[in-house]
Amino acid sequence: AMIIRTSAIRLACICVLFTATIVGCTKRVDDKWTKMRPQVFPATGTVIYQGKPCGGATVMFESNSPDDKARGKVAIGHTDSAGFFRMKTFKEYEGVVAGPHRISVTKSEFIQNLPPNPDPTIDYPLIEKPLLPAKYKEFQTSGLTADVSSDGPNSFPLTLE
């Protein structure tokens, strides 16, 4: 009976510690740094390239807000197989600062770059091969913009040529 009681106590302690860890780790942190962040708003969209959803792309929004706290903030999203993305600025899926944004979209594959007689002791770097037109890679040249509203909804269909 003593062994069963000790095991039960040990199991109870493990359960309490586990619960405390989960509750502690999922609790929202509001420290002086997070309080200084500008407010963000949910933003989603789709990327269509050559008439088809563009999966595996990276979408970035750069704020052109007149607000000093928001200006220059960059949000990032990644497209799924349907071309759908959700933007994040500070943490997963929470959104984008309000105001005007310039957008960039990139998608690449990396290919092996081996010489005719590769040395097996050398780790040859991969070469990036862009899969979208170069103009979409830069905020300045993409021609893509979005105006994120605090009222929402903020859904941005992006059609690339």
Side-chain angles (χ1 to χ4, degrees):
M2 185 63 167
I3 294 172
I4 293 172
R5 176 183 269 170
T6 305
S7 295
I9 291 171
R10 187 174 297 147
L11 180 62
C13 287
I14 290 170
C15 288
V16 168
L17 286 173
F18 179 76
T19 303
T21 301
I22 295 299
V23 171
C25 291
T26 58
K27 185 179 166 199
R28 183 178 164 166
V29 176
D30 279 322
D31 57 21
K32 68 178 182 175
W33 304 111
T34 58
K35 289 179 181 167
M36 288 170 41
R37 293 175 178 168
Q39 189 172 2
V40 294
F41 304 92
T44 61
T46 53
V47 176
I48 303 297
Y49 177 55
Q50 295 180 335
K52 297 179 192 147
C54 183
T58 299
V59 180
M60 295 198 303
F61 282 36
E62 179 192 51
S63 174
N64 286 332
S65 173
D67 175 7
D68 286 342
K69 272 175 83 172
R71 188 174 39 255
K73 291 280 184 271
V74 174
I76 191 166
H78 302 284
T79 60
D80 63 15
S81 60
F84 178 79
F85 63 88
R86 290 179 197 246
M87 301 303 293
K88 70 174 182 175
T89 302
F90 303 111
K91 61 183 191 284
E92 203 64 34
Y93 302 144
E94 102 290 32
V96 181
V97 295
H101 291 76
R102 297 187 298 179
I103 301 173
S104 74
V105 182
T106 57
K107 180 178 178 177
S108 298
E109 68 179 2
F110 293 87
I111 51 178
Q112 212 165 25
N113 178 32
L114 296 177
N117 296 309
D119 181 338
T121 63
I122 296 177
D123 195 10
Y124 295 95
L126 298 175
I127 295 178
E128 181 178 6
K129 179 183 170 194
L131 300 176
L132 297 174
K135 75 175 192 173
Y136 295 113
K137 186 175 185 175
E138 303 295 331
F139 295 119
Q140 300 87 335
T141 58
S142 75
L144 301 171
T145 61
D147 196 8
V148 176
S149 165
S150 57
D151 300 329
N154 294 301
S155 180
F156 304 100
L158 306 174
T159 302
L160 312 184
E161 299 168 0

